[in-house]
Amino acid sequence: MPLFPRSTYYTKDYRQSAALIRARQPFLIKNIFTGLGIASFVIGVYAFTISAVAQDDFSDVQIPDAVQQPPHTPHAGALKTPSEVSGRQ
């Protein structure tokens, strides 16, 4: 048994006690407005970002006809197995 009894605002089945509900009551409206303000800011930033990206014009970007491999990259057919590299068959 602990030396000091455990003090909590929750009941034994982890529900809010009446004291916790009374303690949170003055902050309920402020917390709701703060949450709405943060949510509206996030939605506004998201909407602005989507609209800014949608306005971007990629007509000045040249798209190559075919994908070209750099000359230093070996082709897939030129790969050798480890036995071919060591000289064993």
Side-chain angles (χ1 to χ4, degrees), residues 70-86:
H72 65 277
T73 304
H75 298 290
L79 296 177
K80 296 182 180 181
T81 62
S83 63
E84 291 174 343
V85 171
S86 64

Side-chain angles (χ1 to χ4, degrees), residues 5-88:
R6 186 173 169 196
S7 176
T8 180
Y9 279 112
Y10 295 94
T11 61
K12 293 187 188 292
D13 56 352
Y14 299 107
R15 294 185 184 197
Q16 294 179 358
S17 67
L20 179 59
I21 294 171
R22 281 192 312 272
R24 292 178 60 183
Q25 190 68 33
F27 304 104
L28 182 64
I29 302 298
K30 292 177 188 176
N31 289 344
I32 288 173
F33 284 131
T34 302
L36 288 174
I38 291 172
S40 63
F41 175 75
V42 169
I43 291 170
V45 168
Y46 178 77
F48 173 77
T49 303
I50 295 298
S51 68
V53 170
Q55 293 174 5
D56 202 0
D57 184 20
F58 294 104
S59 64
D60 58 339
V61 177
Q62 295 179 359
I63 300 173
D65 293 334
V67 178
Q68 298 175 356
Q69 289 184 341
H72 65 277
T73 304
H75 298 290
L79 296 177
K80 296 182 180 181
T81 62
S83 63
E84 291 174 343
V85 171
S86 64
R88 294 184 236 163

